[in-house]
Structure formats: C-alpha cells, structure tokens
Amino acid sequence: MKHPFRWVALAVGAAVCALAVVLALTVSSDPHAEANTSRLVGKQMPKFTVEGLDGKPITSESLAGRTLVVNFWNSWCIPCRQEHDALTSWYAQHHDDPSIAMLGIVREDTKAAIRSYVKDQNVTWPVAFDPGAKAALDFGTRGQPETYAIGPDGVVVASKFGPVTPAVLDQMVAYAQGTN
Amino acid sequence: MRAALGILGIALGVGASAVGVLLLALGIARKDVELVRAGRRCVFVVLAAAVIAVGAMEWALLTHDFSIKYVADNNARSTPVLFTITGLWAALEGSILLWVLILAGYIAFTARRFRSRLEDPMVAWALLVALSVALFFFVFMAVAANPFKLVDGTAPIDGRGPNPLLQNHPLMAFHPPMLYLGYVGFTIPFAFAVAALITGRFGEGWLADTRRTTLVAWGFLTVGIILGAWWSYEVLGWGGYWGWDPVENASLLPWLTGTAFIHSVIVQERRGMLRVWNLSLVLATFCLTILGTFLTRSGVVNSVHAFTQSSIGPWLLTFLGVVVVICLALIAWRADKLHAPGRIDSPVSREAAFLANNLLFTGLAFVVLLGTVFPLVAEAVRGNQLSVGEPYFARMTTPIGLGLLFLMAVAPALPWRAASGDVLRRRLLVPAYSGAVVMLVTLVFLTRTLATVLAFGLATFAIVAIFRETTLAVRSRRTADHAGWLKAFTGTVRGNPRRYGGFLVHIGVVCIAVALASAGSFGARQEVRLRRGDSVVVSGYKVKYVGTRTERSAQKTSVSADLALSKGGKSLGTYAPAVSTFPNSNSAIGTPSVRTGLLEDVYLTIVSSPNATGRITVGIAVNSMTLWIWLGGGLMALGTIVAIGPTVRRRLQVRAGAPQPPVPTEPVPEGAGV
Amino acid sequence: MLRRWLPWIVLAVLVVGALAYSAWPRSGDESVAAHTRRIASDLRCIDCESLSVADSATSSARATRADIAVRIRHGESDAEIRQVYVDRYGESVLLKPSSNGLGILVWALPIAALLIGAGGIVLALRRWQRQPRLVASTADEELVAEERARS
C-alpha cells in the first residue's frame, strides 16, 4: 500500500472529527438532566410504611382511594427550601379537599434536624420519616426534592425531580384526577 | 487597582506572544537570525506578563479584594492564609493563570537553553509553536475566561470562600501545581516534534533536544497523579484512592501515552526506527492534555472536579480541534519521508519487547479514553444513558497491567537485536523461578484470587531480575576498578543513569502493583453503631468509641469522634474522624482518620453523627498495603531524578604504547539539549 | 536438546498448574455479605457522582444494600436483582454496561483494537524476517580490499 501513513492519518482524523462533533453536541446539554421523568410513571405506586412525626406509622393503604401528592425532601437541600413556599401555599388551598392528600417523606436527613425545621418553618402538611430509607428506594427516587402525583387508583401519573411551583403542582394533580 | 494590574498583565501577555510569534515567523521566512533573536526576547516579556498577572491575583486574594468576581467566589475573610494562596487554582479562571505562568516558565527555560542555536530553523519553529500555544491561552483568558472580571454592582462584604473540599488539607497546595507542571511540560516536546515535522528533520535530533524536558514533565505528572490519589484517600473519605472519575482518567491518559513514548524513544535512539510512531505519541500526548483540560473544565462530565459550567467548553474544543487537524496534516504531508530503514530481527529482543510495551500502553489509553467518553457518545447518538464505572475499568485494565508487569521483568534482560536460548536462561531462569515459587506460596497461604497471585509472582520476577542485573554490573565494576561496594554502586549508577534510574522507577511501579493487588484481595470493611464506651473488633483491631468533640472556628465547625485504637491489647493511639460544615455551604464534609501501618491501614470515618440517643455510626476499614502506593510513587520520582542526571564515564585503562585519547572525567551531559 | 528446555518446561508446568488451581471455580458458598458486596459494587449510588453502592455511605446506598441482601435470601438471581434496579433507575445505574445493545461496543472495541495492534506487529515482524539481510556486493568488497591495500 502506497503511503500507508497517509491513510492511517486520514482515518484517525475522521474518527477524531466524529468524536469532536459528538462532544460539541454534548457541551450544550446539561449532564444532570437525566430523564426528568421517573420510571415509576405509569406503574402502581409501591406499598410503603413510614413513620409520622408522632412516631405512629402511616401506611400507603391508609391513603388509598385519594389523589396523592408525595414529596421527598429534607431540611438541608437548597432546592427543597426553594419549593417550601410553593408547597405551603398549595397545601393551604387544597387541604380542605377530602379527595386530595399530601405527604412529605424525609430523605437523607436526621430526625432532630427535621423536627426543628418543621417547628421553625411551620410546616403544615403531614411529614414522615423513612426508616431504612425503604420508601425512597422503592419509589426509585434519584435525590431530593422529588415529587410524585398518584391517581386514586394507585397509578403514578406524573413525577418531577427538582423544585416544584404551584402551577406545576396544579398540573400534576389535575392530570392525576383526570385518570379515574 | 489589582484588577487593572492583572488585566495589564494579560494584555501584555497577548501582545508579547503575538509579537513574538510574528517576529519568529518573519525570521524563519527571511532566514534572519536577528528577527529570531528579537522573537526570543519576547518570550521573556511573556514570562514577565504571566508573573505580573499571577502576582496581581495573589495580591487580590491575600487582601480579600472582593470587587473581583473570582476572589468573591473563591475566597472569604475567614479563609486561612494557605488556602487563600492556593485559591489561585481553586477554579477555572485562576487555574488558567497558573497554566500560563508554568508554560511561560518552560518556554523561557527552553529559550535560554537554546540561545546559541538560534540559526537552527528547528529551534526557531519550536519556539514559535510553543509561543503560539501561550498566545492561545492568553487570548482565551482575555476574551472567554477573564479572572479579573469585576463583580456586578458593589463588592460584597465577604466572599463565598473556596469549595469546602478545597480547604480541607494542605495537599491542595501541591496536587494541582504538580499536575500542571506535568501537563504543561509536554508542550515543549510537542513544539519540537512539530518543528521536526515542518523542517523535515525527523531523525533523532529533536529527541535528544527534548529528552530531559520530557522526563521532567513525566515525573511531575506521575507525582501529581499519585498526590491526587493520596488526597482522595486521606481527604475525601470515601475509602478509596482511585475512582475512575472522568477527571482522574483525563490526567491518566497523557501519562499513559507519555510512558509509551519514553520507552519507544529508546528504540529510535538505538535503531533509528519508529519515527512516525514516536512523533504521533508526542503529538497525541499534548492533544490529550488539552482534551483533559476540556473534560475537566467544560462541565461535560459529572465529576467532583467539574465545578464550572460556562462557555469555555467550545473554546477549548476548538483549540483542540485545530491542534489535532494540524498534527494529522503534518504527518500526512511528510508521510513518504518518514519511513525509516531499520528492521527488527527477532521477536525475542529488546526492540520487540518495547513494541509490545507500546501496544499495551496505547491499549490501556484506548480503554480509559473509551470508557470515559462512551457515556457521552451513547447519549448523543442514541439517547441512552449509560454508566461506565470502576468494574469496567478494573476488568479491562487488570490483564493489560499484568502483561506490562511481565514485560517489565523480561525486557531489561533481553539483548538488543536477538536473544539466544543461553542468554535467556542465564538472565531470566532464576528470576522466573522465584516468581513461580512466590506464586505457589501465595496460592497456598494467602489467597486464591487469580489476579493477585499473578501480580505477586510477576512482581517477584521483576524485582529479582532487576536485582540480578544490578548486582552483576556492580560486581564487575568492583573487580575492574578494585573499588568497594558503595563506590562501585555509585559508579555503576552514574555510568548509566538512564538504565538504573529506570530500574528504580520500575521498582516503584512494582510496589504500586503489589499494593493494588493486595487491596483487592485482603482487608475488611464494616459499619458499626456504637454508644459511648462501646467497642468493636475488626480484623484484630479493637475500636472503642470514647466521645465526641465540637470545634468551631471562623473557617468551619467540626464534630470529631474520638476512637481509641488497639491491637492485641497494645494501644495504638486515639484517632478522630470528623464531619465539618462550612458557613457558606450546606453539605457536610467528612474527614477520615487513618492509622498508616507498614502492611495495613486502619481507616476510620463517621458515617452518621451522634443522634439523640448518643449513638454514632462509624465506618471501620482495614486496608492492605496502601502505604506501598505512596512509597512506590516516591521511588518513581526518585528514579526520574536519577535518570535525568548526567552520565559520568570512567577513565579508560590505557594499554602500554597505545596513543592516549583525551579522557573526560567531568560529567558528560547526554545530548546537547534540555 | 531436551536438557536445554527442561528447566523452562518444568517452570511452565508449575505456573500453568498454579494458575489453573487459582482459576478453578471453588466449591463452598459465598457469604450473603460477600454476595451483596459483589452485586452492590456493580450498581451506581444514586446520590453520588460515580461511587458504587458498595462504597457509598449514603442512606440510600445502605438501604439498597439491605434490599439486595433481602433479595439474595429470597433466592433471586444476580440478573434479576440488577434488573429490578434498571427498571427503577434506568440503564445508567449499572456501572458496567450490559453486553446487549450499545454497551457491547465498550467491551468489544478495546479487544478488537489490541488484536489489530498485535496483528500489525506480527505482520511487520514477518515482513522484516522475509527481507534479506544486507550483504556486501562483490563490487563493495573489491573497493574495501583496494583501500586496505593502499594504507
């Protein structure tokens, strides 16, 4: 073969160009924007038992038949603090509605820190600890905050990874209520 | 004032390097030495500019000038002095300043070294290429990543402070500069390689000119990588020293091709072969250093290092693209002239062993590169989210690493050109048997893990072979010179510093290989919940939870757990792992406490802080042979220092009646260059 | 002839024997802890950057290890356990890409590259063997003889 080095150089060049194009494409994308939608969407909500602030267990069965908003959170993550006001105002609007229930499950935090946060920030909706981090695992949570909307039939219809706004919550719940 | 000074420094750097490039180009085109000399002087102006810019930034940091955005983001009034100084390289913009300073330093050193060879177009071209790289980085700073950008609005009263992970340990002062001294150092051999291709003089001249700089850069890169591993182990607290993190891999890639280059250079020096290959290796090493910077700084990959997301990605990628295209074009252009007349006579020869060495090192580099970019490519092409982590790298690199251990044992004993069975038997049989015996002993008494058994056997093979070669050489010098053992030893080493420096580096590598193999097979790890006064026994070590302490300083608040360690009844001291929180950050940083022993470490961490009932969860790990990684790294550094030393040849014995040649007894510097 | 090779043959036998013994699948059960650790080191910890579940200290990692241990005791196979986590988190939770689909490239390409490289070296060696060694021609020999006679 005449001038094999030339051909090798050109082949390497083509491969490197291809790699460069790929890298250029990914530079603009956000590496953390993994599919924002949880894989749980469309499936049945996993059964769970969590521990309320008073120490009494709260089971998933006790919440059955209602549209459920489950929010995984903790006291130290910044986006959790960002969505706190949104959750408070949304809960104030909807807590009278018997067909809707909201539950905040703690993820990766100590009991002492949560208790003092609940007291200082006046958290009004039910909050529960997750012994053994089992519920977080069964839901397939990828971090916090992560919010799920579950229809009355127990099917998870929507999820959001990251802080929610009242508009997003309304949308998720409307979607959950639409499926009967 | 400080920002103005800094910007002045950067502007001066842009101007001086542009003028320098221009003068050098004109000087080469018109074959005018005076123009080249003027271009050479610009190099020193560029160095001054870099010093001014770095000085301005350190001044701003030390005086807590928060009107500058970089200082506000990476420094706070409560930051200790050491970490204020190291704040220069705490984030992207500042680290480019460091890069530019080191690059200017290397170019200035080269310019001075070659001041008497300016008529040589190769030297002029090399300076031009190096100065062009400096020009890129100065322009990059001026336009895309200005470290002296001012804060919008009024200056904050206090800055954010550096990332907590970067103010935890004094090692922060050494790891990045060492790495950069390594990365940036490869620019010089790169510049000479490009000059060799352009001038058409791709014989061995450029190799001799850059031999020492390449070794120095390689040595610094080795130390930088080992320090990074040490930092990961002692500071980050996850219990390991290498996570196959994309940024760790980015620093390993140029090291792998650089090591391949150091070895195959020897073949080119001896036999004139592998010219294209060596040129490609050097060009690739430089490209990989830029790729590494791109991967680290552009936020493309998730990593504990990737703490910036900005527009600098496209800049670095473009620069990398341009460099790669130029390199490939040069090789394609000169392709027909690059073919060397040499040949390898026998597959059992040192040349063939070096070829195999290069195959394995480039194979390793390919594996690491593929594993690092594959998730990116898969996502861009197919939208799949894939991870490539430690299990993949371990599975792929272990066999290659074992192959390299084998070559390390065998190659120094192989003669050049061809080996006969007698030579092989004489030189290799005893070391090989030693290795086999150790393998059997390991198998029977220690572990059945295949990789560990092989690693121990091959390590013994290598050590005994090195020992044998060195002892024979020292013994023959002893009888020839009628000298004592020590004098004969130093004489042997100084007579061939490359060989014996290389042996010392290989011994260091063997130490690291043994440590890595042991870590995989031995050791224990446990997490225990303890109340005050409780104790637990792990692998013969008794750990007793004595109590906790809280320390508050301006910089951080730390909760430490005092753990009393003892073995076989004998107390080994109290160790205190801690968890610290910093005022401007929400996450808690764990600090391990490590008892370093000759054969094993006890590694203590706090998994969860004391809760309401006073219980604490402690992580106890007993790690095998970790000290030998740091010792091995030290030996590699020492071996590099020996290898760049001058060759001291001894007096010739004079036969009666024969004409006496002039005999140099002072050190003879090998090669004429750096 | 055999005597020359005997030490090497004995060595080869020893080494191969040792390797075979080492690689022989051993009887005896792996403990649940070791089994859990083995599976956990192939899964990525969700809250971390690139640590495995085995190495991570977060509560989700500890919960995952506990969950894996429970599943092992229930008799689920390694592949089934891994699939549970892939269903929850996607393929990116596996630290080693699976061999089906796009992932196979990351295993096959390096092996292919090494084989191609080794093949190239072997071919080059063969080519060099076939080249005749340089031998001085008779004209050259005569020139040398002339010079010698002159000095």
Side-chain angles (χ1 to χ4, degrees), chain B residues 26-37:
Chain B
L26 280 174
I28 293 170
R30 298 199 190 153
K31 297 203 193 341
D32 186 344
V33 171
E34 286 311 312
L35 284 176
V36 173
R37 218 181 286 276

Side-chain angles (χ1 to χ4, degrees), chain B residues 119-142:
Chain B
E119 315 82 43
D120 187 348
M122 185 146 88
V123 170
W125 272 111
L127 283 178
L128 189 143
V129 171
L131 215 49
S132 311
V133 175
L135 176 63
F136 165 75
F137 279 106
F138 272 109
V139 170
F140 178 48
M141 266 198 296

Side-chain angles (χ1 to χ4, degrees), chain B residues 424-436 461 464-465 468, chain C residues 8:
Chain B
L424 285 179
R425 194 182 62 224
R426 214 176 38 234
R427 292 187 182 181
L428 290 178
L429 197 61
V430 167
Y433 264 96
S434 318
F461 188 6
V464 175
R468 184 187 171 279
Chain C
W8 295 110

Side-chain angles (χ1 to χ4, degrees), chain B residues 448-648:
Chain B
R448 272 185 74 169
T449 317
L450 180 60
T452 310
V453 167
L454 258 180
F456 281 9
L458 289 172
T460 312
F461 188 6
I463 294 279
V464 175
I466 290 177
F467 189 65
R468 184 187 171 279
E469 294 284 321
T470 313
T471 312
L472 288 180
V474 172
R475 195 162 1 139
S476 78
R477 184 170 273 243
R478 212 171 93 93
T479 45
D481 289 358
H482 304 291
W485 279 105
L486 186 61
K487 194 139 180 273
F489 180 70
T490 44
T492 310
V493 169
R494 290 169 82 198
N496 196 346
R498 286 173 82 179
R499 182 173 165 86
Y500 295 100
F503 279 173
L504 193 54
V505 171
H506 283 182
I507 295 177
V509 173
V510 163
C511 292
I512 294 178
V514 166
L516 292 178
S518 307
S521 288
F522 311 115
R525 195 194 279 224
Q526 236 180 296
E527 276 174 21
V528 209
R529 219 183 204 160
L530 294 171
R531 262 184 318 223
R532 192 170 309 210
D534 282 353
S535 58
V536 68
V537 176
V538 176
S539 263
Y541 290 93
K542 182 163 132 176
V543 177
K544 179 167 157 180
Y545 173 35
V546 174
T548 44
R549 287 174 286 126
T550 308
E551 275 162 27
R552 271 172 245 273
S553 75
Q555 185 201 11
K556 60 184 180 185
T557 305
S558 297
V559 174
S560 343
D562 288 316
L563 300 167
L565 192 64
S566 57
K567 181 169 186 166
K570 196 176 84 151
S571 162
L572 299 171
T574 308
Y575 292 86
V579 176
S580 310
T581 45
F582 293 79
N584 293 324
S585 161
N586 267 312
S587 41
I589 308 292
T591 310
S593 183
V594 187
R595 180 187 183 267
T596 312
L598 191 61
L599 288 180
E600 40 186 27
D601 282 4
V602 182
Y603 194 90
L604 301 163
T605 47
I606 298 182
V607 176
S608 58
S609 315
N611 62 4
T613 59
R615 272 184 213 254
I616 186 173
T617 310
V618 168
I620 305 169
V622 177
N623 298 324
S624 183
M625 299 287 277
T626 315
L627 178 65
W628 290 88
I629 299 180
W630 323 129
L631 286 180
L635 286 177
M636 287 173 82
L638 205 58
T640 313
I641 294 175
V642 169
I644 58 180
T647 311
V648 178

